[in-house]
Amino acid sequence: MEIKLSEHFTYKKLLRFCLSPIVMMVFTSIYGVVDGFFVSNFAGKTSFAAINLVMPFIMVLGGFGFMVASGASALVAKTLGEEDVKRANEIFSMAIKFTVILGVITSVVGIVFMRPISVLLGAEENMITDCVVYGRTVLAFNTAFMLQNGFQIYLSVAEKPKLGLYYTVAAGLTNMILDAVFVGLFNWGVAGAAVATGISQCVGGILPIFYFIRGNDSPLRIINAKCEARPLIKACTNGSSELMSSVSSSIVSALYNFQLLKYAGQNGVATYGVLMYIQFIFVAIFIGYTIGMSPIVSYNYGAQNKDELKNLFRKSVIMMSAAGIIMMILGKALASPLSEIFVGYDDELCAMATHAFGIFAYAFVLTGINIFASALFTALNNGAISAIISFLRTLVFQSVTVIVFPMIFDIDGIWYAITFAEVFAFIISVSFIIAKRKKYGYA
């Protein structure tokens, strides 16, 4: 039986509703990891380092899709809570159209400036070609990528999280199979990995359009609605924290790569790539939970159901805290076997990755709470606070620590940086949660 946004959520019901988005995000991360696995093992560590070097720029452009979807989904769910289904569908339809327009623009910009951006990000001469080929090919599919990210969120708002999971699994299997064929069998290197990723994004980004265009049994469908500036500006403003997080993370990734090139050369960049791929899987659990939780919060905020807001807040804090501790323990225990998967062919590189992830894993204890805090304020349509938390967490604190800590602890300072950044972000998150608890009534 499908769970409605208007229901009272026990732990069991909340986990059931959020399970599909969690599995969906983990699966998305895993099939992203498959790209890295095939490139690293079949094309070598230079190609692996190249795609990780340009990935921050690609994620910045894709972040515009997250911005629109996160902000619009909160507005749509709140409007559904106010029992205005027609207006909710108008906002939803505007957001889809606007995402397509942004996707086309960002694709053109990215393709044109891929080479100078690669140089700016620090690509060495033997990496430039791979950076440009991978970046331009992936960005040709950027519209589908942005739509895919959006539909993962909208399907939870539409009370169809399982359908979002099915689309993601289909896209993931497509990517895995094509990676094996294009990179492993045909030996196309980074170009093969990029084409495999692009085709899979079309599966996840284009197919859901047909579901929402035709009649369906969800509250949402794409209708003929003219684009209005006010709701789109509100959606972009409210979702700015997601764009800020994407932009900040990408800038910080570039900064990490600069520092690692300085302290450890290409091995350092490749090690950071391994850490990021593994981190994607762990953090995907937190992000998947917030994708499922956010529309429930937005709906009850619109319906002014403060008792349910308190219930959701309390249960979320407990689950995020417990999950963070469990992930830290798993991260330290699995550091060696996970590193072996990616760079087992190079003993020195594998040892560096194992050591780095053992330090890096401490960050997971507080990561979930900080991600939840930012998502909570987005769901409550307070994009400003959400953006501040994301900005400080992903840009300011990480930038400062990754610059300062290596001066004290050498290369280990780079691996410790993210943990201390999460500690500082936790202080900010808790401060805002306490300050706004009476206004929103969640505690």
Side-chain angles (χ1 to χ4, degrees):
M1 182 181 295
E2 292 181 350
I3 300 173
K4 303 296 182 183
L5 297 176
S6 56
E7 295 183 30
H8 170 68
F9 282 80
T10 60
Y11 277 110
K12 182 178 179 180
K13 191 173 290 185
L14 185 58
L15 285 171
R16 276 180 57 204
F17 190 85
C18 294
L19 182 61
S20 291
I22 290 172
V23 175
M24 175 178 68
M25 289 305 301
V26 170
F27 202 86
T28 299
S29 301
I30 289 174
Y31 82 72
V33 167
V34 171
D35 269 359
F37 169 79
F38 277 100
V39 170
S40 180
N41 284 275
F42 288 91
K45 65 181 181 182
T46 298
S47 295
F48 182 58
I51 65 173
N52 285 295
L53 202 66
V54 298
M55 191 59 71
F57 178 60
I58 294 170
M59 297 309 294
V60 165
L61 298 184
F64 284 95
F66 271 115
M67 174 188 70
V68 177
S70 298
S73 65
L75 187 56
V76 169
K78 177 176 177 290
T79 307
L80 288 174
E82 296 166 345
E83 300 184 348
D84 191 347
V85 178
K86 181 176 182 295
R87 185 56 179 166
N89 279 299
E90 288 175 348
I91 297 169
F92 170 60
S93 302
M94 292 179 211
I96 296 298
K97 293 177 182 178
F98 188 54
T99 300
V100 172
I101 294 170
L102 275 179
V104 173
I105 294 172
T106 53
S107 292
V108 173
V109 170
I111 290 170
V112 170
F113 292 100
M114 195 67 246
R115 180 171 289 276
I117 289 294
S118 299
V119 175
L120 183 64
L121 291 173
E124 297 174 355
E125 189 64 33
N126 62 337
M127 298 165 64
I128 286 288
T129 300
D130 281 343
C131 287
V132 174
V133 169
Y134 184 83
R136 284 179 172 171
T137 306
V138 166
L139 288 175
F141 298 92
N142 196 47
T143 302
F145 176 52
M146 290 168 64
L147 285 171
Q148 180 183 23
N149 292 332
F151 284 125
Q152 289 174 343
I153 301 173
Y154 294 131
L155 283 162
S156 289
V157 179
E159 301 172 340
K160 298 290 183 181
K162 286 185 179 179
L163 186 57
L165 173 61
Y166 298 153
Y167 285 126
T168 301
V169 169
L173 291 175
T174 300
N175 191 42
M176 292 177 185
I177 293 169
L178 293 182
D179 264 333
V181 175
F182 294 162
V183 183
L185 185 61
F186 293 168
N187 201 27
W188 288 355
V190 295
V195 172
T197 297
I199 294 174
S200 71
Q201 289 166 352
C202 289
V203 173
I206 305 300
L207 290 184
I209 292 177
F210 296 100
Y211 173 79
F212 284 112
I213 285 179
R214 63 182 178 82
N216 61 73
D217 60 351
S218 81
L220 297 183
R221 57 183 46 84
I222 297 174
I223 61 176
N224 187 20
K226 294 182 180 179
C227 286
E228 301 172 25
R230 187 174 180 180
L232 289 175
I233 291 172
K234 187 172 183 179
C236 291
T237 302
N238 190 40
S240 60
S241 61
E242 271 60 37
L243 177 62
M244 181 62 66
S245 179
S246 180
V247 172
S248 300
S249 296
S250 298
I251 293 173
V252 169
S253 292
L255 185 57
Y256 265 85
N257 286 329
F258 276 124
Q259 288 288 78
L260 287 164
L261 282 171
K262 175 182 176 181
Y263 283 89
Q266 284 189 19
N267 273 3
V269 175
T271 295
Y272 182 63
V274 173
L275 263 61
M276 288 301 96
Y277 280 120
I278 298 172
Q279 184 202 36
F280 288 161
I281 299 174
F282 282 70
V283 173
I285 295 174
F286 297 132
I287 296 174
Y289 177 80
T290 61
I291 288 175
M293 173 276 301
S294 293
I296 308 172
V297 170
S298 298
Y299 181 93
N300 283 284
Y301 175 55
Q304 290 297 296
N305 187 350
K306 292 189 176 180
D307 286 339
E308 191 60 23
L309 286 176
K310 292 176 183 177
N311 172 55
L312 291 166
F313 176 81
R314 182 176 62 253
K315 287 179 169 58
S316 295
V317 168
I318 291 172
M319 288 192 291
M320 290 295 95
S321 299
I325 294 171
I326 293 170
M327 286 185 200
M328 182 270 289
I329 296 171
L330 286 175
K332 292 185 71 64
L334 298 175
S336 179
L338 289 174
S339 298
E340 285 277 353
I341 292 174
F342 286 95
V343 290
Y345 56 82
D346 188 315
D347 291 341
E348 181 183 354
L349 188 53
C350 188
M352 181 183 289
T354 300
H355 173 73
F357 197 68
I359 297 173
F360 196 86
Y362 290 113
F364 294 127
V365 174
L366 297 178
T367 299
I369 293 294
N370 291 328
I371 290 175
F372 165 74
S374 179
L376 173 68
F377 287 108
T378 297
L380 293 169
N381 284 259
N382 191 330
I385 291 180
S386 181
I388 290 170
I389 294 174
S390 292
F391 176 73
L392 291 175
R393 171 180 170 260
T394 58
L395 181 60
V396 176
F397 296 145
Q398 284 200 53
S399 295
V400 172
T401 52
V402 80
I403 290 172
V404 174
F405 277 40
M407 299 178 185
I408 305 171
F409 303 108
D410 200 61
I411 190 171
D412 276 356
I414 298 177
W415 313 131
Y416 279 117
I418 190 170
T419 298
F420 282 88
E422 294 288 1
V423 171
F424 300 143
F426 177 75
I427 296 170
I428 298 297
S429 297
V430 171
S431 298
F432 276 121
I433 286 173
I434 292 173
K436 297 297 180 180
R437 68 190 188 282
K438 291 184 179 179
K439 177 179 179 179
Y440 294 110
Y442 51 72

